[in-house]
Amino acid sequence: MQKKKMKRAAAKHLIERYYHQLTEGCGNEACTNEACGSSPGFQRMDNNAAAIKALELYKNNAKLCDPHPSKKGASSAFPENSAKGAHNFSACSNGKMNHKDLQPSREDFRDLNYLTEEKVYEILSLCSETEDYSPLIRVIGRVFSSAESLVQSFRKAKQHTKEELKSLQAKDEDKDEDEKETASGSSTAMEVEPEASASSGDGSSHGENNVQKLGPVEVSVDIEAVRRVYDRLLSNEKIEAAFLNALVYLSPNVECDLTYHNVYAADSNYLNVFIIVMENSNLHSPEYLEIALPQFCKAMSKLPLPALAKLARLWSQYGADQIRRLVETFQQLITYTVISNEFSSENLVNEDDGVVAATKCLKIVYYANVLGGDLDMDHNEEDDDEPIPESSELTLQELLGEERRNKKGPRVDPLETELGIRASDCRKPLIPFEEFINEPLNEVLEMDKDYTFFKVETESKFSFMTCPFILNAVTKNLGLYYDNRIRMYSERRITALYSLVQGQQLNPYLRLKVRRDHIIDDALVRLEMIAMENPADLKKQLYVEFEGEQGVDEGGVSKEFFQLVVEEIFNPDIGMFTYDESTKLFWFNPSSFENEGQFTLIGIVLGLAIYNNCILDVHFPMVLYQSLKDLLEYEGNVEEDMMITFQISQTDLFGNPLMYDLKEGGDKIPVTNENRKDFVALYAEYMLNKSVEKQFKAFRRGFHMVTNESPLKYLFRPEEIELLICGSRNLDFLALEESTEYDGGYNKDSRIIKDFWETVHSFEQEQKRLFLQFTTGTDRAPVGGLGKLKMIIAKNGPDSDRLPTSHTCFNVLLLPEYSTKEKLKERLLKAITYAKGFGML
């Protein structure tokens, strides 16, 4: 056995020499050895190729140069890895070694196969004394390039009893000169507690309630020790290079282990590899972005679902600073890769392995961010909701091969299911969700292709819609638009085929004919009939016609229809919704006389608005009321100064007071500085949920009749859905001017166009809203701002007294060539102030 070890050590030493000969040469510039880096005709190769070539030279017993006098010798960043065999020989670092290091010695730590914090500091101390860090570089290279070594490294030690400590002390006193066994860090030197508690990271006390709900994550690695080691070592450039080179070699082997050998199932401590490597605070630096980090991300993306969930739970305990560091690491790689390549419809970013893998890894951090934040898991939609009635067309769809893919609603992310949460449960994440959006990626993403991959759901094609956190609202809205339009087309196709089968003509559109002065009655009655008879018709493209008016609905008529319906439905005088003047927010009226069916129909209307890409002027509360915020932030004595209790009052439609106890005997429980958080939580729960439970459930049911098969809830956060429905009140008219196109003889340099923009920019805010309403059918900016509007200004004849007119369905303004700027302003203001309805001008 001893002879075999000696032979193997000799072989490894020779392979190491061949490797240095290839990567650094012998130092003789006139060397004639073709397999030497110093040879004039030698072609340089990367580290991996050199490692493979070194093995080949060893097997062929090739010529090995003697070191030239000018060459002091060199060492690899890490020597061969005995656990993997000779083929695991890896790349070299910048470290050099003296000729005496070629001989085995105690300081080489050749038998050290895993590390502890103490052992790292011991080796570091020896290296500092000699100013030669090559032993430490080799050890780091060997351990950090081996999954088996990393799994065993930096374990949390079990606390020894007094008897065990005495025994260990006695052994230390009696130990002989054979110190290799001790230096090797054999398994007897430290007892490991496999399920020791994970470090909570930066020591913050965030997410305590979440930890209680979900339970602390147990891992065997001492994370704080790993961080201290990195802090000590990464400041040394030569040592840092060893980490980099080790990672290059580690990653493919780990990927292979996870792909083909199911290593995590055999030993859950395999996760330690990823925990330890991700603590390297330099991973986002340029040196790692080319090869090392992309390869490691590919390996991490191969982790099985339980491992991904465990990693997310662990990272959720780290705190905001560590989460942000992890996000920046993966974002840097995505951004670097995107800007370094020319992605297009022929060269899709979806096919870049590095970007895809980094995005999958970013998903783990995203859910860690959710788990570590402020969770409210008590208001998930109930599974036992009344099922939405299915259309009579369903059987025909199946017969025609048009069976819906998502009968049970939109997909749910598997990691979300494994974690037992929903992203929408998070009221306040550790870091803002916006930090997960990668704008350079959004700019190069071909959304039509990505949507196709999303619908096909094949393993060979990745869709970024499966990781919606990385997409901005504009990109996601485009994906939703494709989904809606394809669904509308599908409904038209089904209707046409259904007509052939039944022999009768059916309407391929959801057609609504309404009277302007009875818009609510006409619309809701018609929608109620459709919802009862054939709810699948709600997924057809909307076509609105105002009785007695000219106007073909190509989008503009529908826009006005929704605006008028919303104005009436949310009119406080009707009593279905309450309106808070200070916050400009609507909410359901708990005292409304309207039946649940009316609220269901309102849900249908809002669902149709999203489905048909129309913006509505309505706002629901997304945060606590200001008065509740003031209560939480009040620095005085709440009980004495405010004199409020856990009993609250409301008024009904007739002004009569209604009392409600937030707690039993609430009128006798004063709100104090100590219990005010409890009061705020109970108050918000009652106002936003309990008091309007019937109304909201009815509303939700109607909304889901239209959107139940849509990826809406999967793609968008609540605040983004509000943006979809309501648009943005932030009006950037400079962006609108930049994106506007011209027709009929006008261009951006025309005199009247210059006068026009000077006039519009001088308008007050309300006048600007009227202009938008007149030109586009809504006074809100679409998702992405006014720059996404694509307005057209067309010439409508020479100077005249005619008012400007518009085609809101096409966002076209027809503008006569007025002779003066003053006349232009007067005519335009009159048009936008008094115009309403189609065919009036």
Side-chain angles (χ1 to χ4, degrees), residues 379 382 385-386 576-577 587-603 685-703:
H379 296 291
E382 297 139 24
D385 276 351
E386 258 186 90
M576 295 184 72
F577 291 86
W587 194 237
F588 300 91
N589 187 347
S591 305
S592 174
F593 290 144
E594 303 295 335
N595 58 41
E596 294 179 23
Q598 296 294 91
F599 286 97
T600 299
L601 294 174
I602 294 171
E685 162 71 8
Y686 175 75
M687 295 299 295
L688 299 180
N689 295 297
K690 286 185 177 179
S691 65
V692 295
E693 187 174 10
K694 290 183 179 179
Q695 294 92 328
F696 181 77
K697 281 188 175 181
F699 169 85
R700 187 179 68 195
R701 174 176 164 77
F703 187 77

Side-chain angles (χ1 to χ4, degrees), residues 758-783:
E758 288 177 9
T759 300
V760 170
H761 288 313
S762 70
F763 281 173
E764 296 177 357
Q765 196 69 11
E766 187 57 34
Q767 291 173 324
K768 289 181 178 179
R769 296 194 184 283
L770 287 173
F771 169 76
L772 277 182
Q773 180 76 50
F774 173 78
T775 310
T776 69
T778 177
D779 65 351
R780 302 295 184 92
V783 175

Side-chain angles (χ1 to χ4, degrees), residues 160 163-173 188-189:
H160 292 292
E163 290 74 15
E164 289 173 331
L165 288 174
K166 288 180 180 178
S167 176
L168 290 172
Q169 186 176 4
K171 289 180 181 179
D172 287 341
E173 291 173 355
T188 58

